Each structure stands twice: as C-alpha cells, then as structure tokens.
Amino acid sequence: MHLLVTPLLYRIFTIQASPQNTRLIGILLLIEFSVVMVVHMVMNEFLLHAVTFGLGVLLVATQTIKLVSQRVPHPFTRKKLRNIGLFGVCSFVFGYMVWLIDEWACNPLIRIRHSVGLPLAFVFELHGWHRRSIHHWLDPRQSRGSKNHRSSSSDDKLNLVKQNFGADLTVNYKTHPEWSKEVLRLTNGEGVDYILENGGSGTIGESLNAIKMGGNISVIGFLSRAEQSKMPDIASLALARGAVVRGIVVGSTQLLEEVTRFVATKGLRLPVDKVFAFKEDAVIEAYEYVSSGSQIGKVCIKVAE
C-alpha cells in the first residue's frame, strides 16, 4: 500500500520542484515511509499505518486534480478529468471506510456473520480479502477445509481422539512401523497435504513418503533420532515430492494473537488432561507426567485461583 502511494507522492510534489527541493522531498518521504513500515511491522501497529496511507492517497488525488486544472487548457477535457478524479476520491473514501470498519469492528462482524449464516453473511463480509474474514464463521474443521489425521503408539489414545476430538483417520505407528504406507492406503495413494513432524530425523523419511505432491512438512520436534547410517536422503525425497520442509521453533506474536482470537471467537474448548498446583512437588510431578507421554491434551500448572 505505502509502496504504491509513496512514489506517486514523490512524483507529484517534485513535478515543478528545483533539484534541491526534489532531493529534500525524496529524503523526507523515505524517512516517513521507513518509520511507518518499521513501526507497523515491529509493533503490529495499525492506526499510524492506516492514517498515513489515507492521507497519502488523498494528497495524491487532490494534487492530481489541482495539476489537471493548471495544465489542461481545454475546458471540456479539464472538466472530464476533474470529474474522473473526484469519482476516484469518492471511491477511495468509501473503500477506505469499509476497510477501517472491517478492522475495528472485526469481532462484531464475525458474530453477525456467524448468526445470519450463508448466504446473508456475505453482506457483512465487507472487503473479503481480509485475513480474518470468512473462515471465522464457518465450523472450525470446515474452516480448515481438511481432514484430521492423527498418529500415536496407543490404540486407546487414537480411539479417544477419534471419538472426542474429531480425528477423521488414525494410524498406530507401532502397529505400522512404515506408517507412510498406511497413510497412503487411507488416502487412496494421494498422501496428505500437511504434516506436523515431531520425530525429527528418525521419522522425517516416513513423513516425506506420506506427503502429497507439493505438500508442506513442519518440523516441530526431534523425539526420534536416526543413526547416521540410516539417515534418510531428505533432499532427494523432498525434491521427488516437490515438498516444503520447514523448521518451526515458535510462532510470532501476531500468529499467537490471531489463534487466540480464533479460539475465543469460536468458543473452542481446548482439551486439558490434568491440572497441577503451583508448588514445587506438584510442578516436578507435572513435568514427570509430561515426560511419561501418557497425557491426551494440555497439562497445566495453575498459578492463581
């Protein structure tokens, strides 16, 4: 947005300027652009970004209309161009206000869309490309547009998550050591689109065999290490599948805010397996419980009533 507006501002304000003023205007606009972008990206700040963008576009529009009046001698042509400029200004103001409403009234709009349902929900979609738009008023699993596959070494756990948490397909990797073959069988040979890989080098080969062409594998752990002699050829496997293998340590603040907002908006209740007190013995017990791997869901430590 600012990458588009800033060069236009520079061109309009320097069209009749001296070389010295042209350089000065360029420096000032560069400073303004840099400050706004850094503040917006680092602090996830919206107001400064929105206000400066709006002012920039309005300056471009008003200065363009002014230049038309000064430089187009023919009255009829000048009037036509000015009308086009005014129409552009009005269109921008309307779209800009819709954008601001969608940003500042996001949660109320989500609730309205959720309550009225399709097809009336599209009336309240405003500018539909917004990152928090249509998927919020769909069912959580529909919003992902996906089937949920789970793997575990325990059939009891798999049955529990299938009954209580909506897993579509499950695979026991002890029963099926080469579990990628079972995944391919269950998906009619297609494979899966997205894999959360928490095994590391010991299981990444199976993940690459189970991934669909062009799929994504996010490596989030390294619970299973392969011997050097048995290390899979990750480069060749990824190339053969056209897969993206990405390591993820922790998400950004923005991603955390978005998933928190999604959970709150949908009223989702995350499964909590066990809650421990905030005491030394209880905290140690909590970590030991997590290490045992017997939990299904979150293990929490309650720090306050």
Side-chain angles (χ1 to χ4, degrees):
M1 295 162 67
H2 282 270
L3 279 173
L4 174 66
V5 172
T6 305
L8 292 175
L9 285 172
Y10 174 77
R11 187 70 184 95
I12 287 173
F13 281 109
T14 59
I15 194 169
Q16 295 177 316
S18 65
Q20 183 178 0
N21 287 338
T22 297
R23 286 193 296 271
L24 178 61
I25 291 170
I27 292 171
L28 292 175
L29 286 174
L30 179 61
I31 293 173
E32 182 268 343
F33 173 80
S34 301
V35 170
V36 171
M37 288 298 97
V38 169
V39 171
H40 177 62
M41 290 186 290
V42 174
M43 301 178 62
N44 195 26
E45 196 276 342
F46 174 75
L47 183 61
L48 179 65
H49 174 76
V51 170
T52 51
F53 172 69
L55 289 175
V57 173
L58 287 177
L59 282 172
V60 169
T62 54
Q63 290 300 311
T64 300
I65 294 173
K66 183 178 178 181
L67 286 172
V68 168
S69 300
Q70 293 174 350
R71 295 192 166 230
V72 178
H74 195 280
F76 179 77
T77 304
R78 184 167 62 240
K79 182 179 179 181
K80 285 288 187 182
L81 290 174
R82 289 186 65 184
N83 288 340
I84 292 172
L86 289 172
F87 177 78
V89 171
C90 294
S91 298
F92 165 75
V93 170
F94 174 76
Y96 186 66
M97 294 307 298
V98 168
W99 178 48
L100 293 179
I101 292 171
D102 203 12
E103 178 67 33
W104 286 329
C106 181
N107 288 333
L109 286 170
I110 290 169
R111 288 193 290 270
I112 293 172
R113 291 195 292 263
H114 183 73
S115 61
V116 300
L118 291 171
L120 291 178
F122 283 108
V123 176
F124 302 95
E125 188 59 26
L126 301 186
H127 71 302
W129 51 266
H130 197 274
R131 67 179 183 271
R132 293 174 295 189
S133 57
I134 191 169
H135 64 271
H136 282 275
W137 46 265
L138 294 171
D139 177 78
R141 285 172 61 193
Q142 290 177 333
S143 71
R144 294 191 297 268
S146 63
K147 288 187 176 180
N148 192 340
H149 299 224
R150 299 295 180 97
S151 64
S152 174
S153 60
S154 168
D155 285 333
D156 291 337
K157 282 187 177 182
L158 292 174
N159 289 332
L160 185 62
V161 296
K162 197 167 186 177
Q163 293 172 6
N164 297 342
F165 305 127
D168 297 289
L169 299 172
T170 58
V171 177
N172 188 318
Y173 56 78
K174 280 194 174 179
T175 306
H176 303 279
E178 295 181 332
W179 51 265
S180 60
K181 294 181 179 179
E182 180 67 6
V183 171
L184 292 173
R185 185 187 70 81
L186 293 171
T187 58
N188 298 317
E190 290 188 9
V192 294
D193 296 277
Y194 198 97
I195 293 177
L196 294 175
E197 168 59 64
N198 65 353
S201 60
T203 55
I204 187 67
E206 288 297 305
S207 291
L208 284 163
N209 287 330
I211 199 70
K212 183 184 286 187
M213 287 295 297
N216 289 269
I217 300 174
S218 292
V219 182
I220 60 174
F222 41 87
L223 297 176
S224 175
R225 294 182 179 272
E227 298 177 8
Q228 191 64 36
S229 59
K230 298 180 180 179
M231 191 72 69
D233 188 349
I234 296 175
S236 296
L237 290 170
L239 181 63
R241 288 290 188 177
V244 175
V245 181
R246 179 184 292 110
I248 297 179
V249 179
V250 66
S252 66
T253 301
Q254 180 179 347
L255 290 175
L256 177 60
E257 290 174 349
E258 289 185 356
V259 73
T260 302
R261 189 181 297 112
F262 179 82
V263 170
T265 301
K266 298 301 298 182
L268 302 181
R269 292 186 175 273
L270 301 181
V272 176
D273 183 90
K274 202 168 184 180
V275 179
F276 292 85
F278 188 51
K279 298 178 180 179
E280 183 177 353
D281 293 342
V283 170
I284 294 173
E285 184 183 355
Y287 276 94
E288 290 175 345
Y289 184 63
V290 171
S291 298
S292 70
S294 59
Q295 76 278 8
I296 300 177
K298 298 296 182 182
V299 177
C300 302
I301 296 175
K302 191 172 185 178
V303 297
E305 293 296 335

